[in-house]
Amino acid sequence: EHVDIGQRLKRQRLELGLTQKALGEPRYTHAYVSTIEAGRRRPSDKALKYFARKLGGDVEELRTGRPPDLAARLELLLREADTAISRGEFGQAEEVLRKVERDASRHSMVAQQARAKELRALGRERQGRLEDALELYDAALTMLDSQPSTARAFATAGKARCLGYMGDANYAIYLVESLISVLRREDLTDPSALVQVLAPLVTLYFDAGMVQRAAEIAEEAAALTPHVSDPGTLGNMHVNVARRYLARGDYNEATKSLI
């Protein structure tokens, strides 16, 4: 890390035609700048801010190498890809998501890289390419292993759906119930994460013949909807709840859930 910061500092200094003495003065000596550029010393936050001002750049870019607007640009691309998937434009979404993955990987942005894999998996799932989707969901879960458990909700729900489609409902139920247990044990009661994993559980319980349990989960998910803002999460939940009502012949309630 010290070496990387030093290399970025040196590159930006040379691009501006500054000597080490000119960059450091009046606060720091050229010897101090030299040790940083050689990777022998990590600059303090105060020094980094000083150098960033002298270079006319961003302190975060100097520290990490990431352009200051990168996170916002990647988030925009992820949203565009999500919209493309919802329209069935899978090729366009795949192209965008691979670019996000490359950029996120280059700058060690694990959350964005994992999200790109999750959306690529969703695209495969929507196309019925379930084995490919499972592989991508598993890759995303591996990347998120050190993240808070709430971050694993989307990929876990997707993996469970795929397993359910492939006839392995019991294992799918086990995966979802295991994550829900962790969320509750750790008191990570993020409504959006809970709804994400509760939604497929409704269908899985129905398919396993556990109608009463499916009804209970559907009610729990519905109660959380006022606290969830993401339209994709809400839409998926309502579809699964509607399926529960249709299965028992309650067509009016099914219609209400979908409106």
Side-chain angles (χ1 to χ4, degrees):
E1 181 186 2
H2 299 178
V3 174
D4 291 339
I5 291 176
Q7 289 175 345
R8 286 191 288 273
L9 183 66
K10 182 177 181 179
R11 183 182 67 251
Q12 292 184 31
R13 175 179 64 78
L14 292 177
E15 286 174 354
L16 292 176
L18 296 176
T19 64
Q20 292 176 338
K21 181 176 182 294
L23 176 62
E25 64 183 9
R27 187 173 299 176
Y28 301 101
T29 66
H30 77 278
Y32 178 70
V33 175
S34 178
T35 58
I36 293 171
E37 291 186 350
R40 296 195 300 272
R41 182 169 186 172
R42 189 188 192 287
S44 66
D45 287 344
K46 184 177 180 180
L48 272 178
K49 291 177 182 177
Y50 175 81
F51 294 139
R53 284 197 301 271
K54 290 290 293 280
L55 294 166
D58 180 84
V59 67
E60 190 62 22
E61 183 174 7
L62 189 58
R63 180 184 287 112
T64 65
R66 300 173 190 166
D69 63 340
L70 180 60
R73 285 193 285 110
L74 293 184
E75 180 60 30
L76 179 60
L77 290 174
L78 287 168
R79 290 179 182 272
E80 289 176 353
D82 197 1
T83 300
I85 290 170
S86 69
R87 293 196 300 254
E89 298 170 354
F90 301 115
Q92 177 183 335
E94 178 73 11
E95 183 178 346
V96 171
L97 291 169
R98 284 189 178 276
K99 172 177 171 46
V100 172
E101 275 198 68
R102 288 194 300 270
D103 290 347
S105 175
R106 188 178 302 120
H107 295 285
S108 302
M109 300 173 75
V110 175
Q112 290 84 350
Q113 190 179 358
R115 180 61 175 160
K117 283 193 182 296
E118 289 175 337
L119 289 175
R120 288 180 61 209
L122 181 62
R124 301 295 198 284
E125 181 187 338
R126 296 276 174 85
Q127 296 175 78
R129 298 166 58 184
L130 301 180
E131 292 286 354
D132 291 343
L134 274 176
E135 184 177 342
L136 286 166
Y137 281 131
D138 278 332
L141 287 168
T142 298
M143 296 184 68
L144 294 168
D145 193 51
S146 61
Q147 302 296 309
S149 300
T150 49
R152 300 168 61 83
F154 187 97
T156 298
K159 181 176 180 178
R161 287 193 305 270
C162 290
L163 289 169
Y165 298 145
M166 297 166 72
D168 198 353
N170 288 335
Y171 182 46
I173 290 171
Y174 165 76
L175 285 177
V176 177
E177 287 183 337
S178 296
L179 180 57
I180 291 173
S181 295
V182 170
L183 292 175
R184 288 175 173 157
R185 183 171 66 249
E186 297 178 356
D187 197 28
L188 297 174
T189 53
D190 178 350
S192 182
L194 275 174
V195 169
Q196 281 181 343
V197 290
L198 288 172
L201 202 51
V202 176
T203 298
L204 290 167
Y205 279 141
F206 265 120
D207 291 344
M210 303 167 67
V211 179
Q212 181 57 40
R213 186 66 180 129
E216 293 170 356
I217 292 296
E219 294 297 335
E220 182 179 355
L224 289 168
T225 57
H227 308 288
V228 179
S229 59
D230 178 63
T233 300
L234 288 172
N236 188 44
M237 187 278 295
H238 285 302
V239 167
N240 282 277
V241 170
R243 183 176 181 183
R244 165 232 172 179
Y245 287 125
L246 286 171
R248 72 180 193 185
D250 196 339
Y251 307 121
N252 289 332
E253 289 299 324
T255 301
K256 288 179 183 178
S257 183
L258 291 170
I259 293 176

